Amino acid sequence: MIPPRPAGPVAAPHATAGTNVTRVMLWVCAALLPATLFGFWLYGWPAIHLWWLTTASAIAGEALCLRLRRQAVLPSLCDASALLTGWLLALSLPPWAPWWVGVVGGLFATVIGKQVFGGLGQNLFNPAMVARVMLLISFPVPMTAWTAPLPLRSANAPGFVDGLWITFGARPEALDAMSSATLFGYARSELSRGVDLLQSLAATQAPTINLLGERAGSLGETASLLIAAGGLLLLGLRLITWHIPFAMLATLALFASFMHSLDPARYLSVSTHLLSGAAMLGAFFIATDYVTSPNTAAGQLVFGAGVGFLSYVIRTWGGYPEGVAFAVLLMNALTPVIDRYVKPRIYGRDRRGMPLEIES
């Protein structure tokens, strides 16, 4: 009689973590939910329509590629990785961007950023950031058309149907007056006009609006405190470790503090850098991607520090006001190098690979 096959591994070195890909992805989506709902409230129905268009396109691109590769579609879609990719991309887009920006970005993220490399776990770069950078370089006008906050149920907020008209390209002329600039874009334009930051930001109440998030920006990036709270949830659940977020934010804060102390009229403050743009979203949800970040704790510290440093350099001296997406992709390219030189210690051996001495 043949004994029944055991349900799981029975001997070392196998180990189970008590979770799976689907559960991890859904927990990350749950951690993003408060910031997303805040973005929906802040920017209204056009933002909601853009979100579902982007996520649906990412899922459709994943399904199409799996179909072409003759792989099972439904089990792969149920791991929620395509949903999370589209979700992260939507949060990085201007909230009133036209429909085709979300559709093209969602398809590009899963088809070019993920499936051409072989699918989940094979991609070299973060798929959502690949799509965002492609959209920013290819279509700079809609990707830099920011909207001032217009909360749901406020007097001039577009309703469900008006939101569809805006998203599908028939933006009412009366709403053009709601266009605005991000804090980084505003600071850069004022510096180019010869107005220093002490004067230009004096009337903007920058620290207060940065904390509240009621300002122009991407759909999910303005709510920095809610994003940080979601990141702390992921840390508490041990879905991510502290190394990349700490290294990235600490490095960004270190350079911002140093340069701001040298010339506060020319360089933005630490709080502005940490609470504006994609710093929090990048630190907790993008740079911590399992596939495209180093395997070791030391390597993750190097990776996070690199993302923070490059983000500050691009924000301050680069061609774009925001640099987190570019910084993440550049460090993604260095991840294999980091993993090559920062290796984990082999069990029973020291850092040099020599056997440990065992006391008798």
Side-chain angles (χ1 to χ4, degrees), residues 229-263:
L232 293 178
L233 172 64
L234 298 182
L235 286 171
L237 293 171
R238 298 185 177 181
L239 297 181
I240 63 173
T241 63
W242 60 270
H243 305 86
I244 291 178
F246 171 79
M248 176 183 166
L249 296 177
T251 304
L252 183 60
L254 179 66
F255 280 93
S257 175
F258 176 72
M259 297 303 293
H260 184 71
S261 65
L262 291 180
D263 188 357

Side-chain angles (χ1 to χ4, degrees), residues 13-265:
H14 305 293
T16 59
T19 188
N20 54 43
V21 174
T22 303
R23 191 174 300 172
V24 171
M25 296 294 173
L26 292 179
W27 268 117
V28 177
C29 291
L32 286 171
L33 192 57
T36 306
L37 293 177
F38 179 80
F40 289 168
W41 170 80
L42 194 63
Y43 299 113
W45 281 106
I48 299 173
H49 296 318
L50 181 67
W51 178 86
W52 69 258
L53 279 168
T54 307
T55 54
S57 300
I59 294 172
E62 180 103 334
L64 175 63
C65 290
L66 291 169
R67 185 75 174 174
L68 292 175
R69 295 169 60 189
R70 299 182 179 179
Q71 294 185 353
V73 174
L74 191 57
S76 295
L77 293 185
C78 287
D79 68 19
S81 62
L83 168 67
L84 180 59
T85 297
W87 195 324
L88 286 171
L89 174 62
L91 295 186
S92 71
L93 298 178
W96 285 21
W99 67 273
W100 56 267
V101 168
V103 171
V104 171
L107 291 172
F108 194 90
T110 49
V111 174
I112 305 300
K114 180 180 176 184
Q115 286 295 328
V116 295
F117 292 99
L120 181 65
Q122 306 297 319
N123 49 290
L124 299 178
F125 301 95
N126 186 290
M129 293 302 98
V130 168
R132 189 187 191 282
V133 168
M134 182 279 295
L135 289 170
L136 186 60
I137 295 174
S138 304
F139 312 106
V141 175
M143 285 295 290
T144 54
W146 308 103
T147 304
L150 198 60
L152 282 172
R153 298 186 179 278
S154 61
N156 298 321
F160 178 83
V161 176
D162 289 336
L164 284 174
W165 280 108
I166 293 170
T167 302
F168 284 91
R171 181 170 173 156
E173 294 181 0
L175 293 173
D176 285 344
M178 303 309 297
S179 297
S180 183
T182 64
L183 186 57
F184 288 131
Y186 173 73
R188 178 165 294 202
S189 65
E190 291 298 287
L191 285 173
S192 66
R193 294 194 309 116
V195 181
D196 66 54
L197 297 178
L198 296 177
Q199 298 180 40
S200 60
L201 299 182
T204 61
Q205 298 178 331
T208 303
I209 62 173
N210 283 342
L211 282 174
L212 298 177
E214 295 184 11
R215 52 182 165 76
S218 299
L219 170 58
E221 295 176 354
T222 59
S224 298
L225 294 183
L226 293 177
I227 294 172
L232 293 178
L233 172 64
L234 298 182
L235 286 171
L237 293 171
R238 298 185 177 181
L239 297 181
I240 63 173
T241 63
W242 60 270
H243 305 86
I244 291 178
F246 171 79
M248 176 183 166
L249 296 177
T251 304
L252 183 60
L254 179 66
F255 280 93
S257 175
F258 176 72
M259 297 303 293
H260 184 71
S261 65
L262 291 180
D263 188 357

